[in-house]
Amino acid sequence: MAVKDRDRFSTATRIRLLGEQTAARVYRSQTKRQARRSRLTGRAALLALVMCSLIVALAYPMREYVSQRAEIDDLQREQRQARERVERLRDLKARWQDDAYAEQQIRQRLHYVMPGETGFIVIDPHAAKQSRTDLGAADRPWYSNVWDGVDKSDASGQ
């Protein structure tokens, strides 16, 4: 029995007993934690909260970014169209600088003739069959459009 008592107080025996007791405590605490632990841990809940906050915080700036990119694209398209229009107008201006083109346009649009020339207007035989009201507003003289406007306003007043 003396050997057993001596064994009981030896350092190796005490360390072994201490390790067994510690292991038993750890095992008991782990089983208690596992029993009461839910699937959603505090860290997971915090991570989910942070992710939701980031999504909400970034939603508005992303929407603004997308709408501004669309606006920039629209403005670039308008700028390209304006440049094309300016180029066409520059070409037209250059053509009007030429005296031959200006003379041609004056003769065609205003029915001018040079001194000594005789001007003729050829009437289309099919045009006589159309009444003046059947013609579009751009095809008739301006005074016909004014008179038709007066007639329409007078007719609507009755």
Side-chain angles (χ1 to χ4, degrees):
M1 197 179 241
V3 175
K4 249 187 175 181
D5 286 339
R6 198 167 135 225
D7 242 5
R8 191 174 93 192
F9 293 112
S10 72
T11 306
T13 306
R14 277 193 261 160
I15 291 175
R16 186 172 25 97
L17 282 175
L18 187 61
E20 288 173 2
Q21 289 172 355
T22 306
R25 275 191 235 132
V26 168
Y27 178 73
R28 273 186 272 146
S29 68
Q30 284 179 350
T31 55
K32 286 180 184 177
R33 275 193 219 141
Q34 288 174 353
R36 66 185 164 156
R37 181 183 290 180
S38 66
R39 292 181 163 242
L40 184 65
T41 63
R43 287 182 183 171
L46 182 63
L47 179 64
L49 181 66
V50 168
M51 292 300 290
C52 289
S53 299
L54 284 174
I55 289 171
V56 168
L58 293 177
Y60 181 73
M62 285 303 294
R63 187 182 70 170
E64 287 298 312
Y65 173 77
V66 169
S67 68
Q68 287 176 1
R69 288 304 308 168
E71 186 176 348
I72 287 171
D73 291 340
D74 290 342
L75 291 174
Q76 286 175 343
R77 181 181 41 80
E78 287 176 13
Q79 183 182 25
R80 187 174 53 250
Q81 289 173 348
R83 282 185 183 149
E84 291 171 359
R85 185 170 185 268
V86 165
E87 193 62 35
R88 286 193 309 265
L89 290 173
R90 282 186 182 150
D91 290 344
L92 184 62
K93 180 182 176 186
R95 275 191 259 149
W96 277 101
Q97 296 297 324
D98 182 23
D99 291 335
Y101 179 78
E103 182 181 326
Q104 175 193 9
Q105 291 299 314
I106 290 170
R107 284 174 171 256
Q108 181 181 2
R109 292 181 183 188
L110 302 176
H111 304 288
Y112 277 24
V113 292
M114 296 300 284
E117 293 180 351
T118 305
F120 293 98
I121 297 179
V122 179
I123 298 176
D124 185 16
H126 301 291
K129 293 179 184 174
Q130 285 183 335
S131 68
R132 288 203 179 268
T133 56
D134 291 343
L135 295 174
D139 297 331
R140 298 184 302 175
W142 65 270
Y143 49 85
S144 295
N145 292 333
V146 171
W147 193 249
D148 287 344
V150 169
D151 287 341
K152 285 180 185 175
S153 66
D154 187 41
S156 65
Q158 292 178 355

